[in-house]
Amino acid sequence: MPGAALILHGVNLNLLGTREPAVYGRTTLAAVDRLIKEHGRKRGLRVECRQSNLEGELVNWLQGARREGFLGVVFNPGAFTHYSIALRDAVAAIEVPVVEVHLSNVHAREEFRRHSVIAAAARGQISGFGPESYLLGLDALLALGKRRR
Ligand code: DQA
């Protein structure tokens, strides 16, 4: 059993399924979480999924990730991606690896989405594969874990 991973969904991601379906699809957050958990289960990984619209709550979860025993974090900050220095600093401050993920291809959309203030502090970024981005993020965490051994 490789351990447990924390999935963090940021602002507005609770609205998945009904929010701009042409961009984000019709899969609800609960269904995305089921897909992620199933993917983790196949790899012997326990997955915990949390969502918040509050920047400070996400900061607290990032700060607590090590203490709670998570081997890494797959993080979709939503719009916080583009301006939250507080989240960037939290990602930089913690020792557990963080993989930034996005459902949409942020580089193929509006200009302001092309820049992530988080990306340089994260171990890497996966963008544009719909719910699959989270599954790739989990696999990236596992690959990082193997690399360290
Ligand atoms: C998003 C991309 C962000 O630009 C946007 O603000 C979101 C969702 C994505 O998953 O594609 O809320 O993070």
Side-chain angles (χ1 to χ4, degrees), residues 9-29 51-53 76-82 102-104 106 109-110 112-113 134:
H9 308 282
V11 61
N12 290 317
L13 291 164
N14 54 311
L15 300 180
L16 280 183
T18 54
R19 173 194 183 199
E20 298 185 77
V23 178
Y24 298 114
R26 295 217 175 259
T27 312
T28 62
L29 184 63
Q51 187 276 331
S52 182
N53 292 324
N76 183 351
F80 289 141
T81 304
H82 312 297
H102 300 283
L103 295 148
S104 64
V106 288
R109 299 181 61 196
E110 300 94 327
F112 69 86
R113 292 189 207 275
Y134 291 93

Side-chain angles (χ1 to χ4, degrees), residues 2 4 7-8 13 24-25 27 34 54 56 65 68 73 75 83 96 104 115 118 123 133 140-141:
I7 310 298
L8 293 182
L13 291 164
Y24 298 114
T27 312
R34 280 195 295 276
L54 307 180
E68 290 194 74
V73 182
F75 187 23
Y83 67 90
V96 298
S104 64
H115 183 63
I118 313 284
R123 297 298 291 268
S133 290
L141 281 185

Side-chain angles (χ1 to χ4, degrees), residues 39 43 45 74 134-144 146:
H39 191 78
R43 284 153 176 72
L45 195 62
V74 175
Y134 291 93
L135 313 187
L136 294 167
L138 264 192
D139 288 345
L141 281 185
L142 287 170
L144 286 172
K146 282 193 191 119

